[in-house]
């Protein structure tokens, strides 16, 4: 048994069980034995095998990211920043995202870049929603993250051959086979003895899965006592597709399949019946989420850069929906995502009081943990896991220091994060990831991106090259 003491921390974001929320503590100690917290706040006074100087530091709980796609999204930096289909309500899902993907050689560095950036921004628990790839188990485990494997599978692939209509190529048997393979991976995860790995059952998207596949997946999640997550209400195209097929909103249809509940997570959940873009008769989708206890994974940045946003995060929280936070795509910086949560929600509501910074931070800690069915992460409390982030409150971008969480989210971001500890093991020190070679992975990923560019033209329905679809910010000049 090894005890580590973080001594004389200037600020501590501690969990108050009576208040059922986070509170600030000043000038105190945090101690953990192996992978469990044994003391939070005040003077520890006991023995310690090692000591970390907490002066000038804020100690806060590790962030919990419940929706991300590490094996693909980091690849699209510089390609997908301001890209969308004008005749498909601005989304890039159907026309452009299938054109630009890692080859087999590029997947591992893509994931490593994502894992590194998330760790550096204070994420300690990550739901990795990827299509299973060779080496995933070993790479994710080696990252040092508290990893939730969420292998995706589906019954159909989507595509467009004209830029305005989403089409689906169905193969129900292939979807069933892919689900069986995903369950084998989750069996392997369950057998791991590291204590950091767990699983999630994730049929990919509401519009690409048969009702039978969705219901079978939910049954597996219940039998395995695992969370269940599906992308739904993520685009106007999808909303109209589901209402065309079933005469119900995506939330209504999922409820009719009996797959909503406290361990269900809707990935994105933006286009509910009240959203101004869908023009649908009110059916109280929001009330349905509250009544069933269904969780929502909110990832604002990927949508905001296309002019799309939830209406509004503050409204969901006020209604009583449990919302967790994910990054979905680059930048894989959780603190920047929280900034986007706060500013974007106020913009949509046209109200500075639509939400408080505490609502966003709570979602990224307590809310995300609740969605995963856990009360031992996302908080600093005795008995909780030793998933800890240290922030340098003397960093110039944190100053002048009045409220350290606000300074961190609205100003400093990951630049002030110095140390990240997962399950009692230090994985980021002095801002540097210890478990992976971030720089080398980024260089390999850049090579993968160069290999992907020439393939765009042959994959695109209109045979456009990558520069025609996504031009550079400035045209190439002549020296």
């Amino acid at each position: 048994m090894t005890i580590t003491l973080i001594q004389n921390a200037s600020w501590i974001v501690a969990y108050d069980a009576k208040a059922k929320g986070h509170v600030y503590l000043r000038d105190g100690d945090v101690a953990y034995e192996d992978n469990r917290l044994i003391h939070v706040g005040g003077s520890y006074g006991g023995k310690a095998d090692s000591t970390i100087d907490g002066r000038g530091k804020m100690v806060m709980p590790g962030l919990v990211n419940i929706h991300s796609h590490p094996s693909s999204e980091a690849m699209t930096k510089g390609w997908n920043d301001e890209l969308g289909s004008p005749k498909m309500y601005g989304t890039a899902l159907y026309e452009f995202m299938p054109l630009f993907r890692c080859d087999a050689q590029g997947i591992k560095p893509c994931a490593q870049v994502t894992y590194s950036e998330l760790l550096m921004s204070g994420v300690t628990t990550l739901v990795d929603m990827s299509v299973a790839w060779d080496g995933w188990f070993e790479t994710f485990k080696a990252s040092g993250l508290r990893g939730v494997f969420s292998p995706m599978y589906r019954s159909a692939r989507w595509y467009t051959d004209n830029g305005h209509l989403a089409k689906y190529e169905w193969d129900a048997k292939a979807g069933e086979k892919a689900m069986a393979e995903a369950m084998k991976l989750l069996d392997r995860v369950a057998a791991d003895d590291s204590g950091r790995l767990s699983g999630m059952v994730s049929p990919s998207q509401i519009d690409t899965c048969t009702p039978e596949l969705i219901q079978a997946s939910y049954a597996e999640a219940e039998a395995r006592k695992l969370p269940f997550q599906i992308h739904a209400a993520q685009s106007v195209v999808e909303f109209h597709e589901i209402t065309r097929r079933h005469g119900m909103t995506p939330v209504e249809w999922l409820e009719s399949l009996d797959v909503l509940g406290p361990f269900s997570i809707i990935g994105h959940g933006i286009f509910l019946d009240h959203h101004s873009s869908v023009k649908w008769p009110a059916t109280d989708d929001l009330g349905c989420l509250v009544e069933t206890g269904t969780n929502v994974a909110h990832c604002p940045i990927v949508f905001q850069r296309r002019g799309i946003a939830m209406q509004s995060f503050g409204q969901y929280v006020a209604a009583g929906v449990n919302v967790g936070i994910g990054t979905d795509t680059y930048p894989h910086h959780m603190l920047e995502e929280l900034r986007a949560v706060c500013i974007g929600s106020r913009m949509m509501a046209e109200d500075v009081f639509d939400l408080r910074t505490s609502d966003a931070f709570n979602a990224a800690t307590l809310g995300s943990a609740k969605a995963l069915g856990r009360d031992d992460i996302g908080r600093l409390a005795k008995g909780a896991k030793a998933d800890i982030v240290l922030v340098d409150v003397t960093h110039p971008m944190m100053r002048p220091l009045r409220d350290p969480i606000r300074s961190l989210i609205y100003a400093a971001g990951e630049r002030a994060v110095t140390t990240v500890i997962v399950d009692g093991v230090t994985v980021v020190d002095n801002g540097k990831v210890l478990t992976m070679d971030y720089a080398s992975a980024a260089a390999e990923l850049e090579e993968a991106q160069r290999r992907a560019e020439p393939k765009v033209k042959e994959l695109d329905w209109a045979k456009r090259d990558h520069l025609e679809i996504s031009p550079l910010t400035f045209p190439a000049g002549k020296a």
Side-chain angles (χ1 to χ4, degrees), residues 70-305:
S71 62
S72 59
E73 289 299 316
M75 166 77 166
T76 63
K77 188 183 297 182
W79 157 264
N80 206 22
D81 313 78
E82 45 192 5
L83 188 60
S85 298
K87 295 181 180 180
M88 302 183 86
Y89 306 94
T91 185
L93 284 173
Y94 309 94
E95 185 174 15
F96 299 125
M97 287 183 64
L99 307 182
F100 210 69
R101 282 288 184 263
C102 286
D103 55 19
Q105 185 181 347
I107 291 176
K108 181 177 179 179
C110 189
Q112 289 178 318
V113 165
T114 303
Y115 298 155
S116 297
E117 292 181 353
L118 289 170
L119 281 170
M120 290 188 293
S121 69
V123 170
T124 53
T125 297
L126 174 66
V127 174
D128 182 341
M129 303 180 73
S130 293
V131 176
W133 52 276
D134 289 342
W136 183 17
F137 182 88
E138 295 80 7
T139 304
F140 198 11
K141 183 176 180 179
S143 72
L145 283 154
R146 187 174 300 285
V148 182
F149 285 81
S150 187
M152 296 191 301
Y153 49 89
R154 58 187 185 176
S155 313
R157 74 172 186 93
W158 56 37
Y159 69 98
T160 182
D161 56 14
N162 56 22
H164 66 263
L165 179 65
K167 297 184 176 181
Y168 299 82
E169 184 177 66
W170 291 90
D171 188 340
K173 292 296 183 184
E176 293 167 8
K177 181 179 179 182
M179 177 182 168
E181 291 300 315
M183 296 308 108
K184 288 180 183 178
L185 175 60
L186 294 184
D187 288 338
R188 183 181 181 189
V189 171
D192 181 75
D193 62 1
S194 69
R196 286 189 293 109
L197 307 184
S198 60
M200 176 180 287
V201 180
S202 297
S204 295
Q205 299 100 7
I206 188 175
D207 50 334
T208 63
C209 294
T210 64
E212 294 80 12
L213 190 74
I214 294 172
Q215 290 176 315
S217 298
Y218 188 77
E220 278 286 348
E222 284 192 311
R224 294 167 179 264
K225 295 181 171 56
L226 295 178
F228 166 90
Q229 183 164 185
I230 187 168
H231 291 79
Q234 67 169 331
S235 76
V236 176
V237 172
E238 173 227 282
F239 184 95
H240 289 322
E241 179 67 20
I242 297 302
T243 58
R244 182 190 66 80
R245 292 180 195 173
H246 307 292
M248 292 183 276
T249 71
V251 169
E252 279 188 291
W253 189 56
L254 290 174
E255 184 184 28
S256 76
L257 297 179
D258 199 24
V259 298
L260 298 182
F263 294 104
S264 297
I265 304 169
I266 290 180
H268 307 311
I270 293 172
F271 295 102
L272 306 189
D273 57 10
H274 69 267
H275 199 284
S276 60
S277 294
V278 302
K279 311 296 184 185
W280 191 255
T283 56
D284 196 18
D285 284 346
L286 207 56
C288 175
L289 298 180
V290 175
E291 184 178 344
T292 59
T294 301
N295 309 278
V296 171
H298 183 41
C299 312
I301 289 177
V302 66
F303 294 97
Q304 286 178 5
R305 62 186 181 215

